[in-house]
Structures are given as structure tokens and as C-alpha cells.
Amino acid sequence: MGKSEKTTLGRSLVKHHNHMIQESKDKGKYYKNLQKKVLESVTEVSDIDAIIEQAEEAERLFTINHSNTTPLPINLDTSSSSSTIAAEEWREQQKIEEALHASSLQVPRRPPWTPEMSVEELDANEKQAFLNWRRMLVRLEENEKLVLTPFEKNLDIWRQLWRVLERSDLIVMVVDARDPLFYRCPDLEAYAREIDEHKKVMLLVNKADLLPPYVREKWAEYFRLNNILFVFWSAMAATAVLEGKVLKEQWRQPENFEKTEDPEVVICGRDELLSRLQFEAQEIVRARNSRAASSSVESQRENAVVGFVGYPNVGKSSTINALVGQKRTGVTSTPGKTKHFQTLIISDELMLCDCPGLVFPSFSSSRYEMITCGVLPIDRMTEHREAIQVVADKVPRHVIESVYNISLPKPKTYERQSRPPFAAEVLRAYCASRGYVASSGLPDETKAARQILKDYLGGKLPHFAMPPGMLSEEKVEDASADSEEGEDEGSDADEEEGEQVPGIDDVLDDLSSFDLANGLASSKKVAVKKKETASHKQHKKPQRKKDRNWRVKNTEEGDGMPLVRVFQKPANTGPLTMR
């Protein structure tokens, strides 16, 4: 009886297990047929993936629209003339090409649609428009003088942006105050006006507490000259005030919050920003309603919608959490936390809309610069030295030394004394001070690079960009000092040039120091040194006197020349006879 019960229980468990497996397979087939994928940002696509994706889209859309698409041109000319052009001329030509193709660098537009359209027709039109946009960017990448940075390649992410732009009255583009023009997308502003002429775009300059007051004044002047609507803001400071905490970061200086004569330069608080957003959005709603009333259109609404868009990791979700007063959206330092757009009701007259972060296509900025700006995740970094070199170029040498309490190697006598430190120098000095050693026994540069990049993004390493055509006070002082030194030492220019030429001794010293720093010093040299300095090897061995008796002494009888000993062979007297 017990044996039959065990058999029945085992069979029921096996049946339940098989049923669950079959159910999971059915669900997988169902979602696969619906082509439902997890919404994830895609910025890096290999060539083979892009070819397969384009082939699948073309095959699927061919049955819907028999459009004659021209094939992509393929350049078979392998002889490039770019190698013969100087670097400066090449950069000038690249700037000219970027200016000529700036209008082609657009965000994808949503195709026209009506409520009467079916879901399948709308989906096919959007995929076709997105495919054409990808092909246009591929043609730009074929130009050898243009460098296109990684951008968002997932259609579902762009669909979130389309919904937010259509819903919102006021579009708030959140940018990092340390380099606002890098995070600003002018074509997005043009696209918003194409959707509705009443829409406005406001630049929310986040992390403004990391800028000195005179830098904010320069940026305010630049925004006014270019008719850009802007507000200085700090989401972290507003959250700390809301929670009753004090910012522990020493690099967020209190004098940055001091009020100035210009009210637009002051960093706004939570209540001030909410009132400003509501005022700007309600003006747009009134203008739209007045025009709709004049044209006898009944569709009018009173509440205003404010949409937040921008690059990943610029503080969109943190700003919304600070405005709402509680954590309503996920926040993390890793880009791409927000997956879908979210709507949050502040009051009966104001509603906020959060959009996932998008990487817009742009020119001239490298992938490593995008990592240092927080657009691409730090954990996906493969070449850490290139990213650290970007940091070393932007942060002065003395700032790195004072922040980390390290001493970087000084430039050689034949090098430019004002050159930025190399990435290897920064990483080795940081690893030596922190004791970062990998399992191989070498400095753990990967761990050090990630920590330095996090400090760079968090503001521990102070840096900021000035508006075009304007220099910071430190750079102006350095330039004036350099000009004065150049005037005083103009007569000794030839001698300095002669001194700056590296000699063979300098090169050998550099090679020996490099070998010692990397553990490449020869063990033979060390052995020779030990042999020379050994105490038991200091005395000389007693040498045997050579026998020189065969040499005639330099006397009256002899001239000191060696003797020739002649051995005379006896004569052959014939065979021996036995007696």
C-alpha cells in the first residue's frame, strides 16, 4: 500500500513538472509570435547584427509596402588620401563636413497617424520610418571625414520619446551644468515645434551647485544671447533640503548658493522651480485654448503637462522625485534605469511626465568621452586608459594631486612642462597610494579607473566647460602669465629649443625608469652588481708564476729572443742485426 502511494505521488510530481514546462514553452511561443521584447537601451550594435536586423525589417516590410529603396553605396576604393593630410588640416575639414551635414543629424520623426488607423498599419509605418532614419545615418557614417558617436538603436525607446513629446506642453531638457552643450539636442527642440508651434523647450541646468557663480553668469549670458529658456537647479541639494539633511560633499561649496544680483543666475529651490514650470506650461495651454476657441475647436484641456527628456544619468528621475516630494521613480548612477515613460500628478493643474534617457546621435565626441560624461555605463568600459586620459585632459594636474593626495611624475626636461599627465601615470600613482594590486601582482588599473570615473561624475574632481568664445578666469590668468614669460624670455628662445631636444642619455634614463616601474629590469644586471659588491670576492687570487726559463735573459750573450730548440734525427744505418 505504501509503495503504491509513493508511485502515485511520484507520477503526480512528474506530471506537474511536465505541465509547467509545456506551459512555459507555450508562453515563450506566444510572446515570440507577438515579437515582444524586454525594453532595453541599445547603443552598441555590431556590423553583422545591423545587417541581420536590416534584412529582417526589409523582408517583413516588403510584403506591406513595395517601395523601391535604393541600395546602400559601397566604397571599394581602399586607397584613402586621409593618411597624407596633416592632423590639423584633417580636423578643419572634419569641422567643415560636420557643419554641412548638421541638418542631416536628426532624431527620428514619428510618421503621421490618425485614430482610424489599425495597430498593424501604425506599427509598420513606424518601423519603416525608423529604418529609413537608420539608413540615413549609415550614409553619414560612410563619409570618412565624419565620426558618428553611439546612439540609441532601439525603436521602442524612441516610441517613449514620441509619446512624451505629444503629451507635453512644456518640454524640459535636463542637462549637466558642467557641459550643457554636450547634453543639449537642438534638433529635439525643432521637432517639438513641428508637432505643435505652441510647445516650448526649457533647459534645466542640473548640478549647478558644482559651478562657481562667475561660470553661471557666463552661461546665463550665453543662453540669453541665443534665446534659450533656462533655469539653474540642483536635484541633490533640493532632495537634501526636503529630507532635512546636510550635504557632506566638500566639493559642493556653500558659496555657490549665495544670491547674486541677477535672479536668473541663482540656483532655484523646489517651490521656485514648481511655480516656474506651472507658469510656463499654463501660458502654453492658454495660448492653445485661445487659438482653438477662435477656430471653433471643442477639444480643450485646462491641466498642463510638463515632460522631462534628456540623456541618461543627467538627473531626470531625481528631479521628479524632488518635485513630487517622495521617491516615485527609480534612481541609480547606472544609465538607463527608467524603462517606460511615467506620469505623476502634482495638482489638478500640473502633471509631470518622465521619459527614459536617450543617447542622441552626434558628431566629434568619442565613445570614451561619453563614458566620462555618464552617458554610457562605466561597467561596460573595456579600454580604461583612454577614458582616464579624457579625465586627465580636463582636470588640472595640481587638482588631481590635491584631491587624491598623490604626487604625479613631472614632465621630462625635453617635454612641454604644461602637458596634462598621462593616464598610466595617474593610474599607477592612484594604485600605489591606495594599495590596489591585481592577482597578477601588477597595479589594478581597472579598479582604479572605475573609482576615478565615479569621482569625476560625482563632482569630487572639479571640472567645467565654458561657453564658446569665453575663457575661465584661471585660463585667462595662465594665458597672460605665459605671454609675459614669452616676452621676457624671447631672446633665449633658441637656447631653450636646443635644450628641449632629447639626447641619448635622456632616452636611456626614460627606458631604464620605465623598466623599473614595470618590473622589466634584467636580472643579469642585478647579479653583476651583487658580484661586484660581494665581500668575499674583494681579494685577488694568487697567480702561479709562469716558467720562463726557456727565454734567454737580456744579457751580453743573449738578445732576449726565444730559443729555437732543434732536435736532430739520427741517421738510418739499415736493418738491425741480431747477434
Side-chain angles (χ1 to χ4, degrees):
M1 184 69 180
K3 186 176 180 180
S4 61
E5 289 181 357
K6 291 183 180 179
T7 305
T8 306
L9 179 61
R11 287 179 180 178
S12 63
L13 290 176
V14 170
K15 287 182 180 180
H16 179 68
H17 180 67
N18 295 336
H19 177 70
M20 295 297 294
I21 292 177
Q22 186 64 29
E23 186 177 356
S24 62
K25 288 182 179 180
D26 294 340
K27 287 184 179 180
K29 292 179 181 179
Y30 173 75
Y31 285 112
K32 185 176 181 181
N33 294 331
L34 291 180
Q35 297 182 356
K36 293 207 173 185
K37 302 177 182 179
V38 178
L39 190 58
E40 184 179 359
S41 177
V42 179
T43 56
E44 297 290 339
V45 177
S46 60
D47 295 337
I48 188 64
D49 294 336
I51 293 173
I52 293 174
E53 182 181 356
Q54 290 186 4
E56 291 178 353
E57 291 292 335
E59 182 181 1
R60 189 184 63 83
L61 295 173
F62 181 77
T63 57
I64 301 174
N65 298 326
H66 296 280
S67 58
N68 297 323
T69 57
T70 59
L72 297 177
I74 301 176
N75 185 13
L76 299 177
D77 187 11
T78 57
S79 61
S80 177
S81 60
S82 60
S83 58
T84 60
I85 303 177
E88 296 180 358
E89 297 180 358
W90 175 258
R91 182 56 187 163
E92 291 178 359
Q93 293 184 4
Q94 188 178 11
K95 289 182 179 179
I96 295 174
E97 290 292 329
E98 289 177 0
L100 290 176
H101 296 84
S103 59
S104 301
L105 201 63
Q106 300 178 350
V107 298
R109 264 62 169 171
R110 186 183 186 184
W113 63 280
T114 58
E116 291 78 14
M117 296 176 64
S118 61
V119 177
E120 292 78 9
E121 185 179 359
L122 181 61
D123 181 72
N125 292 342
E126 290 179 352
K127 289 184 177 180
Q128 179 64 41
F130 187 73
L131 182 62
N132 294 336
W133 176 72
R134 288 285 303 274
R135 287 173 175 171
M136 180 183 65
L137 294 182
V138 168
R139 294 188 184 96
L140 290 178
E141 290 177 343
E142 290 177 356
N143 191 342
E144 61 180 6
K145 297 178 182 178
L146 295 177
V147 179
L148 204 62
T149 57
F151 57 92
E152 185 59 57
K153 299 178 178 64
N154 191 353
L155 174 59
D156 294 330
I157 299 291
W158 289 105
R159 283 172 172 168
Q160 306 297 316
L161 176 66
W162 293 342
R163 272 55 169 186
V164 171
L165 291 179
E166 292 175 354
R167 283 170 172 246
S168 304
D169 302 309
L170 176 66
I171 294 96
V172 178
M173 189 180 300
V174 185
V175 297
D176 196 320
R178 292 170 289 185
D179 194 0
L181 296 184
F182 176 83
Y183 299 93
R184 178 175 175 245
C185 182
D187 187 68
L188 186 64
E189 303 174 7
Y191 181 39
R193 288 190 293 269
E194 290 177 6
I195 297 175
D196 188 358
E197 59 181 4
H198 298 286
K199 292 182 184 292
K200 290 183 181 180
V201 177
M202 174 186 287
L203 216 62
L204 186 64
V205 187
N206 191 22
K207 304 176 185 179
D209 54 339
L210 299 176
L211 297 182
Y214 76 93
V215 179
R216 295 204 304 269
E217 293 176 359
K218 295 288 186 181
W219 277 111
E221 181 181 353
Y222 175 80
F223 293 147
R224 292 194 202 99
L225 291 176
N226 292 272
N227 298 323
I228 299 175
L229 194 63
F230 69 96
V231 173
F232 287 106
W233 160 260
S234 176
M236 185 172 292
T239 305
V241 172
L242 191 65
E243 296 176 354
K245 298 180 180 180
V246 179
L247 294 176
K248 299 180 181 180
E249 292 84 354
Q250 299 178 358
W251 53 88
R252 298 181 183 271
Q253 301 176 0
E255 56 267 18
N256 292 343
F257 293 91
E258 294 179 358
K259 294 185 178 180
T260 59
E261 297 179 357
D262 192 354
E264 294 185 350
V265 181
V266 178
I267 301 176
C268 295
R270 173 179 175 271
D271 298 334
E272 297 173 353
L273 182 59
L274 277 175
S275 60
R276 179 72 183 276
L277 294 177
Q278 186 171 354
F279 173 75
E280 296 289 347
Q282 285 181 352
E283 276 194 349
I284 298 173
V285 172
R286 293 192 195 98
R288 186 186 293 111
N289 292 341
S290 61
R291 183 175 179 181
S294 61
S295 59
S296 65
V297 178
E298 297 181 357
S299 59
Q300 298 182 5
R301 57 185 177 87
E302 296 297 333
N303 61 333
V305 181
V306 178
F308 289 81
V309 299
Y311 276 85
N313 202 20
V314 293
K316 298 184 298 297
S317 299
S318 301
T319 299
I320 290 181
N321 289 336
L323 294 177
V324 174
Q326 55 183 347
K327 186 175 180 181
R328 300 292 296 274
T329 59
V331 178
T332 181
S333 59
T334 304
K337 174 64 176 177
T338 306
K339 302 297 184 183
H340 300 272
F341 77 92
Q342 309 173 50
T343 56
L344 301 170
I345 299 176
I346 301 296
S347 62
D348 296 337
E349 300 177 351
L350 182 63
M351 183 173 64
L352 305 181
C353 189
D354 185 17
C355 178
L358 290 101
V359 181
F360 302 100
S362 60
F363 289 132
S364 71
S365 60
S366 63
R367 183 176 183 273
Y368 308 107
E369 186 175 356
M370 301 180 76
I371 291 176
T372 56
C373 291
V375 175
L376 298 180
I378 297 177
D379 296 335
R380 298 181 185 178
M381 175 181 58
T382 56
E383 301 292 337
H384 54 272
R385 284 196 176 183
E386 283 75 3
I388 296 300
Q389 189 61 50
V390 177
V391 176
D393 293 340
K394 292 185 178 181
V395 182
R397 177 189 295 268
H398 67 277
V399 174
I400 298 177
E401 293 179 344
S402 62
V403 169
Y404 292 128
N405 194 16
I406 60 177
S407 59
L408 298 175
K410 295 181 179 180
K412 303 297 181 182
T413 55
Y414 56 85
E415 293 179 340
R416 184 168 55 90
Q417 297 300 313
S418 61
R419 71 162 176 84
F422 297 127
E425 297 175 349
V426 177
L427 291 173
R428 288 172 185 169
Y430 187 86
C431 291
S433 64
R434 303 301 191 271
Y436 290 169
V437 181
S439 58
S440 60
L442 299 176
D444 194 353
E445 295 185 357
T446 304
K447 182 179 179 181
R450 290 180 179 177
Q451 186 61 41
I452 292 174
L453 288 175
K454 290 179 181 178
D455 294 341
Y456 181 82
L457 291 174
K460 187 176 182 178
L461 289 174
H463 66 282
F464 52 83
M466 296 297 293
M470 300 181 185
L471 295 177
S472 62
E473 294 179 356
E474 298 178 356
K475 292 184 178 180
V476 171
E477 293 177 359
D478 295 341
S480 60
D482 294 340
S483 62
E484 291 176 359
E485 292 177 0
E487 292 177 359
D488 296 338
E489 302 175 1
S491 59
D492 302 334
D494 298 335
E495 297 180 1
E496 291 180 358
E497 291 178 359
E499 292 176 357
Q500 290 180 357
V501 177
I504 187 64
D505 297 334
D506 298 330
V507 176
L508 292 177
D509 292 341
D510 292 344
L511 291 176
S512 61
S513 62
F514 178 79
D515 293 342
L516 291 174
N518 292 273
L520 301 176
S522 178
S523 60
K524 295 182 179 179
K525 294 183 179 179
V526 178
V528 170
K529 288 183 179 179
K530 290 184 178 180
K531 185 176 181 180
E532 292 177 356
T533 58
S535 61
H536 63 280
K537 299 290 184 180
Q538 294 294 332
H539 65 278
K540 295 182 179 180
K541 290 182 178 180
Q543 296 181 359
R544 296 181 180 177
K545 294 183 179 180
K546 295 183 179 180
D547 186 12
R548 300 182 184 276
N549 294 329
W550 56 272
R551 186 182 293 273
V552 180
K553 296 181 179 179
N554 192 10
T555 59
E556 295 180 355
E557 298 178 358
D559 54 356
M561 297 298 293
L563 296 177
V564 178
R565 297 179 181 180
V566 179
F567 297 92
Q568 187 176 3
K569 185 178 179 181
N572 190 4
T573 57
L576 296 175
T577 56
M578 299 297 294
R579 291 182 182 181

